[in-house]
Amino acid sequence: MRKVAWLVAWAVSLLLCYWLGRSRSTPGAIQMAAPARQAKAVHTVTAASRTWQDTVVATGNLTADPDRQSQVGAPAAGRITDIWAKVGDRVSPGQPLARLQSQEVLKAAADYHHAEVRYQLAQKTLAQRRQLARLGDLSRRPVEEARNEYAAGRSEVEIARSALTVARKRRARNLDLFQYGIATEQQLEEDQASQEEAQSRFDKARHQLEVAGEHRSREERVAHSGALVTTKILEAETEAALAREEMEHARQLLKNYGVRNLEDDFVDLRANRAGVVVQRTVSTGQWVSAEQELFQILDSSKLWLWLNLYEKDFPKVRVGMTVRLPDLKQLGRVSYLAPQLEPGSRTQLVRIEVDNPGPLRVGMFTRAEIQVGPPHASPGLPKTAVQ
């Protein structure tokens, strides 16, 4: 009887639980107990050996590489007459961006052409003197001129001597006539003046003859030694060398201004590297100075990622460590550690060089994982296995 009573009590309790469960559920739905539901969702995996590596996680911003940025300015003060590039244009090295008219460039071009003319004339003079030297004319002509000068001096001396002789004879004759009362005292005074004038002319002619004789002797010695020919040729060579130096100086100045064709009187401002024009501060007709920046070009094929490293991670990070960039889906390396801390955040700046396949932009925020330890193996499970 006791056993039958226990069975009846168990059956009643089971019916009661069934009735309560149906009263709290949606009609027509079958409720599963919690342990049964948990057992239904459980899956099993096998623990396996996995490779692990300690990392330091940091965040930062992408910036431009200063070595891949360039500014294009005016080499001299002037006026912009044409502009061919605008913001957003992709340019190549040497591509014209704008045209500049400058008085400084015009003056340098004029100096170059003037020096070019001087050089050409000096070259012709040098060629002529070398030709005359081969013919002997450079040495013969000065000697002939000196000899002619000496001959003229001798003629002058003979004329002066004859005049002096005549003056002396006239005075002597009038002096005899004066003794007989035929000539007057006035005639004697005139004869004395004529004689003194003739004497002075004779002395001057004789001195000039001595000078001409020394000149002739000197020219003959120079002609015999060949020094005159050498001097004349050296003078022409010096003139040609000076003109060439002036021409090269003007050419280099025009080159520094950016003038490619020496016949042009303007300057084309050109891109000095490939990239995109990200800034333009000039318009057509504007007057610009030599210190003014007109265009800014950026090559964003490589960017810098500056990470902020906290103090606890300072000893772990070294230059050359590999950095995983999960947001950018690429790897990088630590290329620089700042020797000082940022005053506001007390963090150390770490530079990572990043390749830009195209979609990255300067100023983007991203996360990086610096691999600070050697890889090591240990048993592991997927993260989804952790409850």
Side-chain angles (χ1 to χ4, degrees):
M1 289 296 292
R2 184 178 297 175
K3 185 176 181 180
V4 172
W6 182 84
L7 289 175
V8 171
W10 179 78
V12 170
S13 62
L14 188 60
L15 291 173
L16 180 62
C17 288
Y18 176 73
W19 180 81
L20 290 175
R22 286 182 59 84
S23 64
R24 294 179 181 178
S25 62
T26 305
I30 301 176
Q31 298 294 323
M32 184 180 294
R37 290 199 303 271
Q38 292 177 359
K40 189 77 174 177
V42 170
H43 300 277
T44 61
V45 294
T46 303
S49 178
R50 297 174 180 269
T51 301
W52 308 92
Q53 192 166 17
D54 295 334
T55 60
V56 171
V57 179
T59 57
N61 294 298
L62 291 172
T63 64
D65 183 350
D67 293 336
R68 296 179 177 273
Q69 287 180 295
S70 63
Q71 289 77 33
V72 179
R79 189 176 303 279
I80 300 297
T81 59
D82 296 281
I83 297 180
W84 301 296
K86 59 182 181 297
V87 174
D89 288 350
R90 181 169 294 278
V91 296
S92 56
Q95 179 177 334
L97 307 177
R99 178 162 293 177
L100 173 72
Q101 290 281 0
S102 172
Q103 291 297 326
E104 297 179 25
V105 177
L106 290 175
K107 183 180 181 303
D111 291 342
Y112 171 79
H113 293 304
H114 177 71
E116 185 179 25
V117 172
R118 279 191 56 197
Y119 178 69
Q120 292 174 355
L121 292 176
Q123 286 289 90
K124 291 181 180 179
T125 302
L126 178 59
Q128 290 175 354
R129 291 188 178 182
R130 285 174 175 172
Q131 180 67 22
L132 292 175
R134 285 193 293 269
L135 299 175
D137 189 60
L138 281 179
S139 59
R140 185 170 59 250
R141 181 178 298 177
V143 173
E144 292 177 353
E145 292 176 353
R147 288 174 178 175
N148 292 335
E149 180 184 359
Y150 181 76
R154 288 187 61 182
S155 299
E156 181 64 23
V157 168
E158 293 300 328
I159 294 173
R161 181 182 286 112
S162 298
L164 179 60
T165 301
V166 171
R168 286 175 177 175
K169 288 180 178 180
R170 182 185 300 115
R171 185 176 184 279
R173 184 177 65 252
N174 287 333
L175 185 61
D176 291 340
L177 293 175
F178 179 75
Q179 293 176 357
Y180 294 102
I182 300 174
T184 63
E185 186 175 355
Q186 183 179 359
Q187 288 178 334
L188 290 179
E189 291 176 356
E190 292 177 354
D191 291 341
Q192 181 65 29
S194 297
Q195 181 179 339
E196 291 177 356
E197 183 181 356
Q199 182 67 44
S200 175
R201 179 181 178 185
F202 175 73
D203 293 340
K204 181 179 179 181
R206 189 169 55 183
H207 176 70
Q208 290 179 347
L209 180 62
E210 292 176 358
V211 173
E214 293 176 358
H215 184 205
R216 183 190 64 176
S217 300
R218 184 171 61 253
E219 292 296 336
E220 288 176 348
R221 290 194 303 270
V222 171
H224 182 71
S225 64
L228 179 63
V229 176
T230 304
T231 302
K232 293 294 184 181
I233 292 178
L234 285 176
E235 290 177 354
E237 289 177 344
T238 302
E239 178 65 20
L242 291 175
R244 184 175 63 251
E245 288 296 328
E246 291 182 7
M247 186 173 65
E248 290 301 323
H249 174 74
R251 187 204 306 271
Q252 185 61 42
L253 184 60
L254 289 172
K255 182 179 179 180
N256 293 340
Y257 281 141
V259 178
R260 295 190 175 185
N261 187 358
L262 297 178
E263 300 299 327
D264 295 340
D265 58 353
F266 55 83
V267 178
D268 283 342
L269 308 180
R270 301 176 182 272
N272 45 25
R273 68 173 308 113
V276 177
V277 178
V278 295
Q279 185 177 4
R280 193 188 85 181
T281 60
V282 67
S283 57
T284 304
Q286 181 176 342
W287 181 269
V288 297
S289 63
E291 298 81 13
Q292 188 172 347
E293 177 186 323
L294 307 181
F295 296 89
Q296 184 174 355
I297 301 174
L298 173 62
D299 176 12
S300 60
S301 60
K302 287 185 178 294
L303 300 176
W304 284 0
L305 172 60
W306 288 101
L307 300 177
N308 295 297
L309 195 65
Y310 290 100
E311 189 172 355
K312 64 182 179 62
D313 297 323
F314 291 169
K316 303 178 184 178
V317 180
R318 296 289 183 271
V319 174
M321 285 184 171
T322 302
V323 181
R324 194 171 71 88
L325 307 170
D327 297 337
L328 307 182
K329 296 181 175 57
Q330 62 174 290
L331 297 177
R333 287 191 178 276
V334 177
S335 60
Y336 172 74
L337 296 173
Q340 72 279 357
L341 301 183
E342 292 298 296
S345 61
R346 305 296 299 171
T347 57
Q348 182 184 26
L349 290 179
V350 179
R351 186 182 69 199
I352 313 296
E353 296 183 2
V354 178
D355 292 328
N356 184 9
L360 303 183
R361 297 292 183 268
V362 174
M364 289 180 63
F365 180 82
T366 189
R367 183 174 62 91
E369 299 175 358
I370 306 174
Q371 300 175 357
V372 297
H376 57 276
S378 64
L381 294 172
K383 292 183 179 180
T384 55
V386 180
Q387 299 295 323

